[in-house]
Amino acid sequence: MYHVPRRYAILGDVHANLVALEAVLADCREQGVTNYACVGDLVGYNAQPIPCLDRIRELCGPNVVVGNHDFVCSRPDPLLGFHPLAKAVVLWTREQLDSERAEYLRSLPETRTVETFMMVHATLDDPLSWGYVFDKLEAEVSFSYQMAPVCFYGHSHVPTAFEKAGIVRGGLYRNLLITPGRKYLINVGSVGQPRDGDPRAAYAIYDLAANTVELRRIPYDIAAAQKLIRDAGLPEQAAARLAQGR
Ligand code: ZN
């Protein structure tokens, strides 16, 4: 039987930026992506939560984990420890979500294993405490809870990758070769609000046959996304930061 080689697009931190998401999905089609997965934060920060949620749900099926914005936007709880900018958009997003879509976000799992890889939004050691993995020490803690050879994550919006082969090494990356016997913890960057100083949308392609992970950077119409934020009456800073990639 003939098998099409599986090429997974791993999307993360879409954050209601449909202009960026559509540019990414066009690139996915050009790159021969066959499957889709998402490491969470479908909503928050930007102005198009509903179509972004619907696109991710349709494309990824069960391959989606919950992000902290998905969590708080779909529950009525008080917002503790949220940045004022993020908080304003969370309150707005709660009003946009109907009960069926809010229930979908509440139903998303903390972690998920797909084929040979795991996914989590923040860290594997305590997924719902929303810690950040920026450095090797933080990666080491998450690795001790990682059963699969590869785990994709998001949350920091900075595309970093860590490899554990005895010691942990890592940092920014573009192309990775997955070596058997080692473990990998890979941040796929953010589709909708990059924070590494590069304003282009980010996502990764995991080719299961070639054992490669490629970080993709995709230009999109930032001015169009900013206009939608301003037209919705959301904080100006949410629009301004898109151009800076911060
Ligand atoms: Zn996020």
Side-chain angles (χ1 to χ4, degrees), residues 19 38 67-68 76 117 145 163 170 178-179 195 213 225 228:
V19 185
C38 177
N68 54 318
F117 63 89
Y145 292 81
E163 179 187 65
I178 303 300
T179 305
R195 292 181 195 159
V213 175
L228 288 161

Side-chain angles (χ1 to χ4, degrees), residues 71-84:
F71 193 93
V72 297
C73 287
S74 59
R75 287 170 175 81
D77 312 354
L79 292 164
L80 304 171
F82 254 72
H83 188 280

Side-chain angles (χ1 to χ4, degrees), residues 13 15 41 45 68-69 121 155 157 195:
D13 293 284
H15 281 301
D41 272 359
Y45 288 121
N68 54 318
H69 286 253
H121 185 66
H155 196 41
H157 301 204
R195 292 181 195 159

Side-chain angles (χ1 to χ4, degrees), residues 24-52:
V24 161
L25 295 178
D27 187 68
C28 289
R29 290 188 290 272
E30 279 173 24
Q31 292 294 316
V33 162
T34 57
N35 297 71
Y36 293 84
C38 177
V39 298
D41 272 359
L42 287 60
V43 301
Y45 288 121
N46 295 288
Q48 293 186 285
I50 302 298
C52 286

